[in-house]
Amino acid sequence: MKAKVLVTYKPGVLDPQGQTICEFLRNRGESRVCDVRIGKLVEFELEDMPREKAERMLDDIGHTLLANPVIETYEVVLP
Amino acid sequence: MKAKVLVTYKPGVLDPQGQTICEFLRNRGESRVCDVRIGKLVEFELEDMPREKAERMLDDIGHTLLANPVIETYEVVLP
């Protein structure tokens, strides 16, 4: 079973890497790009288990290990 | 319009960060986690445009700017 946790900066937290990509694209003529934000993608290969259990486990992992709760937030994505 | 590009290592490319998280989780007793791989998440805020155009633009950005084609692959995720 594959699952993802997406870790992103909270709104208001500066993201120089995203800004740099955004400026580069605008300088290249991509005026349709309004904003870019960089985050972390964590892909899990899990044993088969009920969806609900997997969600609870990944929520716990996201909370305690992957995201810094001061500046980051996370989202669990199950197939 | 929001869209994402997910950049991941190709299969076979070593990912020490993912391995470390995986080992930590197993030592913590999470034996249901088989594998962990780390990637980059790039979130785009785009002007409203046809889905097809957005996909083509992000595919081009992923190919030329975000992923290193030797070791990485990418996936465009539109809402």
Side-chain angles (χ1 to χ4, degrees):
Chain A
M1 181 191 197
K2 284 195 176 279
K4 294 185 181 88
V5 176
L6 309 179
V7 181
T8 48
Y9 289 119
K10 286 182 179 174
V13 176
L14 287 179
D15 175 10
Q17 203 184 347
Q19 276 172 5
T20 304
I21 292 175
C22 191
E23 272 163 38
F24 176 85
L25 289 172
R26 285 167 160 280
N27 290 340
R28 208 175 74 163
E30 287 296 5
S31 59
R32 297 164 299 178
V33 176
C34 305
D35 195 21
V36 181
R37 306 277 287 172
I38 300 292
K40 275 178 287 184
L41 161 68
V42 190
E43 285 185 316
F44 290 85
E45 178 69 49
L46 304 174
E47 276 179 15
D48 280 336
M49 67 175 85
R51 225 184 118 83
E52 215 175 67
K53 251 191 173 169
E55 190 157 12
R56 214 176 316 131
M57 188 181 78
L58 292 177
D59 192 61
D60 180 56
I61 292 172
H63 183 73
T64 57
L65 183 64
L66 301 178
N68 173 349
V70 180
I71 55 167
E72 291 173 328
T73 183
Y74 65 93
E75 179 192 350
V76 175
V77 182
L78 287 164
Chain B
M1 181 191 196
K2 285 195 176 277
K4 294 184 180 90
V5 176
L6 308 179
V7 182
T8 49
Y9 289 119
K10 286 183 179 173
V13 176
L14 287 179
D15 175 9
Q17 204 183 346
Q19 276 172 5
T20 305
I21 292 175
C22 191
E23 274 165 37
F24 176 85
L25 290 172
R26 283 167 160 279
N27 290 341
R28 208 175 74 165
E30 288 295 5
S31 58
R32 298 164 299 177
V33 176
C34 305
D35 195 21
V36 181
R37 305 278 287 172
I38 299 292
K40 275 180 286 185
L41 161 69
V42 190
E43 286 186 315
F44 290 85
E45 179 70 50
L46 303 174
E47 275 178 17
D48 279 337
M49 67 174 88
R51 224 185 119 83
E52 216 175 65
K53 251 190 174 169
E55 191 158 12
R56 214 176 316 131
M57 188 180 79
L58 292 177
D59 192 60
D60 180 56
I61 292 173
H63 184 72
T64 58
L65 184 63
L66 301 178
N68 173 350
V70 180
I71 55 166
E72 291 173 328
T73 183
Y74 65 93
E75 179 192 350
V76 174
V77 182
L78 287 162

